[in-house]
Amino acid sequence: MKTAIVGAGAMGQLFGARLQLAGTDVVFLDTNQATIDVLNARGVTLQTESRTEHTPARAARASELDETFDLFIIFTKGFHTQAAVASIAHLIGAESCGLTLQNGLGNAERLQEYFGPSKTLLGVTDFPADLSAPGMVSSNSRGKVRLGALGNVPRLPNIAQLLDSADLHAAVEQDIRIPVWEKVAFNAALNTLSAVTGLTVGGIGADPHARGLVASVLEETLAVAGRLQIDVSRQRIEAALDNAFAHHTHHKTSMLMDREAGRPTEIDTIGGAVVRLGQDNGVSTPVLATLCELVRTAARPGDNR
């Protein structure tokens, strides 16, 4: 299955390398010429707790190509989704499928505009991915991928099998909205709060006031999901938060790192998306709404907020 990885950051390089090592024809699509040049020259080296693997890589800007792909996997930040998918429109064939494994809400709906409901998939993953340098990715072998669709996608089992055969531990979910919203609840609490306070995950876990805010954001997010009849599990989310507080004490969330670097944040596709859906469905989210406004206020001049 000829596959394009759209967004060759840490997660894109991890998934692209895994697929290519398993025999899939992969092309990395990105807009950063330095990343493209390094991938073409050096390939991707993947380090896990048990081994180091290397694969050559082919990378390009989408505008430089004139070919179609069977599968596109989107790994850009949520605020880039619309532009990213528009940039690959000329590469989408009649049978091409699009898969988003991005954080946040609304990405699958953007993909549906180009791929259609019967060829759009979404999912979540808990694989970590860190770049020590372009083309040098560290991860582990314990993560998994959970896949599904908002409509009927006949090729969903085949794509799950493709990812699973690449040691990405993929499985199909009957209602993919549940894991998506459980991850959104987790990120809405930790990302927004860390971006506002500058605290690491461990710092949030150690502060009773911060823990109280986490509990409030979780309560509000669960209320919105409940109004949308999405049967999320409070217990699973709380267990994930407790695990993060215990084992990721020095971790900075991506939103905090983006804010510190003066980059745009995903506030509008994570916490902000929950707030908007709450407003549309008559559910009040005062704590999360305030945290989102504080993130936007703290963004540096020139940020795309």
Side-chain angles (χ1 to χ4, degrees), residues 181-294:
W181 268 82
E182 289 176 357
K183 189 171 185 181
V184 165
F186 177 93
N187 284 329
L190 293 189
N191 274 269
T192 53
L193 190 54
S194 67
V196 169
T197 63
L199 291 171
T200 63
V201 170
I204 293 172
D207 187 298
H209 303 291
R211 291 287 289 260
L213 289 169
V214 167
S216 295
V217 170
L218 177 55
E219 198 67 38
E220 292 175 359
T221 306
L222 289 171
V224 177
R227 183 62 60 89
L228 297 173
Q229 299 184 321
I230 302 171
D231 190 21
V232 297
S233 166
R234 177 192 298 272
Q235 290 73 26
R236 280 196 296 265
I237 302 167
E238 290 178 341
L241 288 166
D242 288 341
N243 180 71
F245 294 146
H247 300 291
H248 303 284
T249 54
H250 301 295
H251 177 70
K252 286 187 176 184
T253 68
S254 60
M255 195 173 292
L256 174 57
M257 290 191 290
D258 286 341
R259 209 212 79 189
E260 289 180 339
R263 296 187 295 259
T265 73
E266 293 184 287
I267 191 63
D268 290 327
T269 54
I270 300 177
V274 176
V275 172
R276 286 194 306 275
L277 286 167
Q279 291 171 340
D280 292 344
N281 291 277
V283 179
S284 178
T285 57
V287 175
L288 182 54
T290 300
L291 288 172
C292 290
E293 286 302 298
L294 287 170

